Amino acid sequence: MKNILFTASECTPFIKTGGLADVIGSLPQALVKENLANVRVILPKYGEIPDQWHEQMEEIASFPVRIGWRNQGAKLFKLEHDAITFYFIENHHYFERHGIYGYYDDGERFVFYSKAVIESLPYLDFVPDILHAHDWQAGLAVAFANILQPVKNMKTIFTIHNIKYQGMLHYEAFDDLFNIPREHFAGFEWNGMLNAMKSGIFHADKITTVSPTYAEEIKEPFYGEGLESLLRDRQGDLSGIINGINTDDYNPMKDPYIHANYQHSRVKKKENKKKLQEMIGLPVKPDVPMYIAISRFVEQKGFHLVEHILHDFLQQDVQVVILGTGEYEFESSFSWFAQNFPEKMATLLKFDEGLARQLYAAADFFLMPSKFEPCGLSQLISLQYKTVPIVRETGGLKDTVHPFNEFTGEGNGFSFQNYNAHELLEQMEYSLKIYHSDKLWQTLLKNVNKSKFSWTDSAVQYAELYKDLAASHTEGE
Ligand code: ADP
């Protein structure tokens, strides 16, 4: 079995801002439990990680990390959780802050983190065959590993979870922070800036992304965010493996946050709807279809389309509940709708895991009309809670949600092709028609019940990739 070291910037249950944390918190377990690989995970030790975890960490090493002409101290901590060994890199200056991203020096913070990952390798008591790095925050670790070769024959995989966020630094940072010979500059530079995402793609032995459709899409300008030509150059090493979800954790039978646990029962699901309606002040009408969205409020998630159709859609006998935080435009427009349609719409401006689960359990439909979606976990969670997704056919949404066909009885959701508000509205109105037609609704729910998205299949695909990659050096020698 191969030794794999995951490096990433977030991971449940320690710290989460989005789907990346869910993946890093569940893929290693799936690989280890299925005996497919020995996986350990290395993360920044943020001050924001709850104290209960800090208290369990054990310090195992301390070493300097060279950042240009300075030395920054790093301390390495270790923690066992759920059969996985986690390492954490501490530096108060970079990581003892409110929140985890959004600082003027984010680039430098993750230069430090990536260098510290490389420097920590001798102290791990674990020799990785493969460094598996995730998203731009870990992209430089791939580059440093390939240039510095800290472990003989260690290979690298870089997984793109979202190509929109690339981690850009001024080009002068190469001389100020990197301590890498100048001849390597071109491997980091993109359009006059240093680009951590590009560095990962350029240097990795293999590149993966989180769905087969997204792996194709990012080679095109609409989705490639400027890196499409590089991805086309490397397409022989690029593949897509769909994410799963932790079905033990996201399990409506056992979920401690929800009012009435259930497996397939619509009656129990309606009890959850009633409870939620009471809690958030909507009229208690369990038979009225409820549409929800739970997300970061950013353009990517298709909220411009939702804004456009809400006024029309709220003329129907429906309820809409939106949970999330993000860009001011969306927070204010969704709040406006909630104020003006208090009988039909509620907007909850917060990040709240428990509330999110209560919504997944209560609702009938989940809205996710993304402009682009590398994989998307929310539609999988919603299927797991028997809530029917309505999505745009892009990335992982296209790979996991199949449009309901009332004539053949196939499909587990609703979908539309173009980034167009009319197409979204048309599907929402169609979903309403199906909801009110008993027989078709039952057929659709049967398909939803059959949808399965555990990690096992994906873990097998990653294990294959690890095996092929680790074997490649032996052949080449
Ligand atoms: P992304 O990673 O692009 O944000 P995903 O669909 O892959 O989108 O993952 C989003 C994850 O974050 C899901 O687990 C979703 O339930 C959760 N989430 C998003 N917004 C909120 C919120 N306001 N409160 C609680 N959980 C949220």
Side-chain angles (χ1 to χ4, degrees), residues 6-10 20 24 41-44 46 113 132-134 137-138:
F6 270 42
T7 161
S9 59
E10 47 182 280
L20 173 64
I24 308 303
V41 182
I42 186 161
L43 302 160
Y46 302 103
Y113 167 68
H132 188 167
H134 299 264
Q137 294 88 349

Side-chain angles (χ1 to χ4, degrees), residues 122-171:
Y123 306 102
L124 299 185
D125 186 24
F126 176 79
V127 182
D129 296 301
I130 293 171
L131 181 71
H132 188 167
H134 299 264
D135 261 356
W136 77 261
Q137 294 88 349
L140 295 171
V142 170
F144 296 147
N146 272 24
I147 293 168
L148 303 171
Q149 296 284 322
V151 176
K152 190 165 178 282
N153 286 330
M154 183 175 77
K155 300 281 175 176
T156 52
I157 297 181
F158 182 57
T159 296
I160 301 165
H161 295 259
N162 192 336
I163 205 163
K164 182 152 181 89
Y165 305 100
Q166 299 183 357
M168 245 85 90
L169 289 95
H170 194 276
Y171 70 91

